[in-house]
């Protein structure tokens, strides 16, 4: 038993020291690069020598990222709630990789609002989060799988660990739990093609918190409730 444990420890030490070599020419596509983790990762991988393709939701995000990166970093507009936008981004990635395949896909998109008591929500409120943070990420992953298989690349899904605790109503926890399940299934299926699938459960970052937006949505939900539902909860609950 001790020998087995020691062997396992040695294996993990060797594995954790492994580094990818010959980074030039390896393309990595990252979603959610306007701000936050996606933005920081795009800059970091660019400095390391990867060919980064950064997807931004706004033109401002694209310009700011390009202004502080090398010329090899490319940006593309992406609206994960729009299948046409996803299709255009896939065409752009295909052109940039020029037959080499895609070395890495890093997916990161969070839709945190609206959140609130489930009884206050409509189905549209769930769609506003799930269409981006779950279905949009799944759709772009599916469309990029041929490029990932060609390069025997890897998929890395960045998932906020706080979403694994279902303490508030809305689509946020649903999207994070859904991406966990999607990633676990995809990992098993892609082993046959040499494609690795990883989940990185990152922590809660203070910079991501905007209490004003959360409060705004809560009051918006409260104000649209029927008088009967508002009375059943009461002002003290709000």
């Amino acid at each position: 038993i001790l020998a087995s444990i020691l062997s396992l420890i040695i294996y993990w030490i060797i594995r954790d020291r492994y580094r990818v070599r010959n980074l030039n020419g390896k393309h990595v596509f990252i979603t959610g690069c306007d701000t936050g983790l996606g933005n920081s990762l795009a800059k970091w991988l660019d400095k390391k020598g990867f060919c980064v393709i950064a997807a931004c939701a706004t033109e401002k995000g694209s310009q700011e990222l390009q202004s502080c990166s090398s010329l090899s970093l490319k940006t593309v507009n992406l609206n994960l709630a729009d299948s046409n936008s996803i299709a255009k981004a896939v065409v752009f990635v295909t052109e940039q990789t020029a037959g080499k395949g895609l070395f890495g896909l890093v997916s990161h998109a969070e839709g945190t609002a609206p959140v609130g008591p489930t009884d206050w929500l409509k189905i549209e409120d769930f769609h506003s989060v799930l269409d981006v943070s779950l279905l949009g990420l799944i759709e772009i992953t599916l469309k990029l799988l041929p490029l990932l298989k060609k390069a025997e690349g890897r998929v890395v899904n960045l998932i906020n660990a706080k979403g694994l605790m279902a303490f508030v109503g809305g689509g946020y926890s649903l999207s994070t739990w859904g991406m966990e399940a999607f990633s676990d299934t995809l990992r098993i299926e892609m082993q046959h093609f040499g494609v690795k699938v990883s989940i990185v459960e990152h922590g809660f970052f203070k910079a991501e918190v905007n209490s004003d937006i959360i409060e705004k949505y809560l009051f918006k939900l409260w104000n649209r409730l029927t008088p009967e539902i508002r009375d059943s909860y009461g002002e003290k609950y709000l």
Side-chain angles (χ1 to χ4, degrees):
I1 293 175
L2 289 174
S4 298
I5 294 174
L6 182 60
S7 298
L8 187 61
I9 291 173
I10 294 174
Y11 165 75
W12 279 107
I13 291 175
I14 294 174
R15 181 184 177 185
D16 286 349
R17 288 184 176 179
Y18 174 74
R19 294 291 182 272
V20 177
R21 307 298 179 187
N22 301 320
L23 305 184
N24 291 332
K26 287 182 167 61
H27 290 81
V28 179
F29 179 62
I30 310 170
T31 68
C33 292
D34 293 81
T35 58
L37 280 179
N39 183 275
S40 297
L41 182 62
K43 295 174 183 176
W44 188 76
L45 291 181
D46 178 53
K47 291 179 181 179
K48 289 289 183 180
F50 284 99
C51 297
V52 177
I53 307 172
C56 297
T58 64
E59 187 63 32
K60 179 182 177 182
S62 296
Q63 293 175 353
E64 290 180 352
L65 181 57
Q66 287 178 321
S67 67
C68 56
S69 305
S70 73
L71 295 177
S72 65
L73 183 143
K74 307 296 181 182
T75 61
V76 60
N77 181 265
L78 177 61
N79 177 6
L80 285 169
D82 184 357
S83 292
N84 290 328
S85 178
I86 291 175
K88 291 178 181 178
V90 171
V91 170
F92 183 81
V93 174
T94 303
E95 293 173 348
Q96 291 296 315
T97 55
K100 298 178 181 179
L102 186 61
F103 180 76
L105 166 62
V106 183
S107 293
H108 179 252
E110 289 193 332
T112 58
V115 294
T118 303
D119 194 20
W120 298 10
L121 301 172
K122 298 179 180 180
I123 191 63
E124 292 81 6
D125 299 320
F126 287 88
H127 275 295
S128 66
V129 179
L130 296 176
D131 287 350
V132 174
S133 299
L134 179 59
L135 298 178
L137 291 183
I138 290 175
E139 182 175 354
I140 198 164
T141 301
L142 295 178
K143 290 186 175 179
L144 289 174
L145 281 181
L147 295 178
L148 290 161
K149 289 159 66 175
K150 186 169 187 177
E152 293 189 355
R154 68 280 322 277
V155 178
V156 180
N157 289 323
L158 306 180
I159 301 173
N160 199 319
K162 71 177 184 285
L164 300 178
M165 299 178 290
F167 61 90
V168 66
Y172 187 73
S173 294
L174 293 177
S175 65
T176 56
W177 289 33
M179 281 305 295
E180 293 268 347
F182 174 73
S183 303
D184 286 339
T185 304
L186 188 66
R187 182 184 304 112
I188 297 170
E189 297 169 346
M190 287 294 107
Q191 284 180 348
H192 176 72
F193 301 98
V195 176
K196 300 178 178 66
V197 179
S198 301
I199 299 170
V200 176
E201 294 174 348
H202 61 82
F204 187 82
F205 292 90
K206 186 176 181 181
E208 294 180 355
V209 180
N210 192 328
S211 59
D212 292 337
I213 293 178
I214 295 174
E215 184 175 315
K216 175 185 174 182
Y217 271 100
L218 279 174
F219 276 105
K220 182 179 179 181
L221 295 175
W222 174 260
N223 291 329
R224 80 180 186 190
L225 294 176
T226 63
E228 291 79 12
I229 296 180
R230 276 203 300 265
D231 291 342
S232 69
Y233 282 92
E235 291 285 347
K236 186 177 180 180
Y237 185 92
L238 174 64

